[in-house]
Amino acid sequence: MTDQLEQATDQKPRRAAPWEYAPAPEAKDIVTIRPRYGLFIGGRFVEPRSGRYFETVSPSTEQRLAQVAEAGKEDVDAAVKAARQAWEERWRNLPGRERAKYLYRIARALQDRSREFAVLESMDGGKPIKESRDVDLPLAAAHFFYYAGWADKLDYAFPGRVARPLGVAGQVIPWNFPLLMAAWKLAPALACGNTAVLKPAETTPLTALLLAQVIQEVDLPPGVVNIVTGAGETGAALVAHPGVDKVAFTGSTEVGKVIRRVVAGTGKRLTLELGGKAANIVFDDAPLDQAVEGVVNGIYFNQGHVCCAGSRLFVQESVFELLLEKLKERLQTLRVGDPLDKNTDVGAINSREQLEKIEELVGSGIEEGAEIYQPECVLPERGFWFRPTLFTGVSQSHRIAREEIFGPVLSILTFRTPDEALEKANNTPYGLSAGVWTEKGSRILWMTQRLRAGVVWANTFNRFDPSSPFGGYKESGFGREGGLHGLEPYLDFDRANGRRR
Ligand code: NAI
Ligand code: MG
């Protein structure tokens, strides 16, 4: 260790990478963006009864991409009615193997058109094409494949119990993984025999609307999936609608709390996947280069717009200097810029509001006395950008160590013993995910049993698979998505169909 430390102190942090990458932009001509989108209700795109539209812009250029319908109360009502009718007349009566065929078709269509979806996702949301192409799209297709597999095997999933669908699911999703979150919500709902009304986030509606086109093309019975675009008011109308049997929400803890109050006492089922302030814990025996990659992936991946982002890094004191040196060096080589460039590591911040939130919290970090480090990199002139940032000298009481930033900002703290790491890591109102880096298997097990987090990664971070359940503790929400556990929120085991009518 002392050798490593000496080495570290001789090495000055390298300046920006000594090489330049030639731009390698992905062509945009594969996507066709309509100037205006209606609502997807009953299998058709319809004009909103509200008569209102809003704009979706590209956060990397601030250019307007399209006008999108804003669903009002009457529109949400029409969508819920279409979903109810499709459920009663068609979907709940289909055998599981028939439902599965539709889900397989959607999955295959996502694979066939994955480049188109990936480019559109990066244009509308600002995430690097490398991620939308290699993470969002393959995982979205995998979710439909995975739940298609369960559709005709529910009796085996829950032996000795009769599983029945609930009815209409009202699903509200955020902007950080727009298509993937749609897949997480729709695939299990449909596999279990429910119909759905989905509300995408207002800054990233376009891939959900392209999914609506795919849904038309695979001939899913009209009304099984309805997509209503709009902002918070549209979401509020959906979750409060008496025709909705199950509410699934992913987004901020603040809105999650509002929804929980609205749903209380109505008999609606509810799952909430909310914020996080994940601890990434690096012990002194960890493979440090690997840990650096994991830490970087944990917080700078998708601009830190990840509910399970490893935003708090706890480093064992004896390797702190060395790890910090390596991290700073790695930050210098991150490529920030055009999301459509295949070299880009860190894309655009999703919206001006989110950028302002990040700036405010980073400002508070400086004000409260933490020390900031940002690599030198040239940011594009237009669009919403934030440099990958790390803070040292952070104390547990600083806002940057307590509040969800949802941006590429890492707070580094240190610890001496496993007990101290555990105590600090659990000292948060959230509990979505955590990471442990150590060579000792026994220590991984010891930590995972004690960390209050829904997912704990060991010697890796931000890995997802449709077969493993995901969800939180405490203010990170409740209920699980993914895996066998992800079926349960969409099923009723005790009472007959249409239990509340
Ligand atoms: P948000 O919670 O307001 O938005 C998420 C979704 O909920 C959007 O579709 C939005 O239109 C909808 N919504 C808003 N108000 C609603 C209401 N009263 N009833 C029903 N639906 C409603 O999150 P926002 O404002 O976009 O981001 C704020 C912060 O929330 C972020 O900075 C981040 O810290 C956190 N966040 C966490 C996410 C996660 O994956 N857990 C995702 C997005 C944001
Ligand atoms: Mg947008």
Side-chain angles (χ1 to χ4, degrees), residues 173-175 199 202 235-236 249 251-252 274 307 354 357 404 406:
I173 56 171
W175 39 264
K199 196 206 77 72
E202 53 272 37
F249 173 76
S252 61
L274 309 174
C307 46
Q354 189 57 33
K357 182 187 162 187
E404 184 175 49
F406 228 61

Side-chain angles (χ1 to χ4, degrees), residues 56-57 124 203:
T56 185
V57 300
D124 200 15
T203 55

Side-chain angles (χ1 to χ4, degrees), residues 172-176 199-202 230-233 235-236 239 249-253 255 258-259 273-275 306-307 354 357 404-406 432:
V172 178
I173 56 171
W175 39 264
N176 52 346
K199 196 206 77 72
E202 53 272 37
E233 267 181 46
V239 302
F249 173 76
T250 299
S252 61
T253 296
V255 172
V258 171
I259 292 178
E273 201 262 275
L274 309 174
V306 186
C307 46
Q354 189 57 33
K357 182 187 162 187
E404 184 175 49
I405 302 175
F406 228 61
L432 197 54

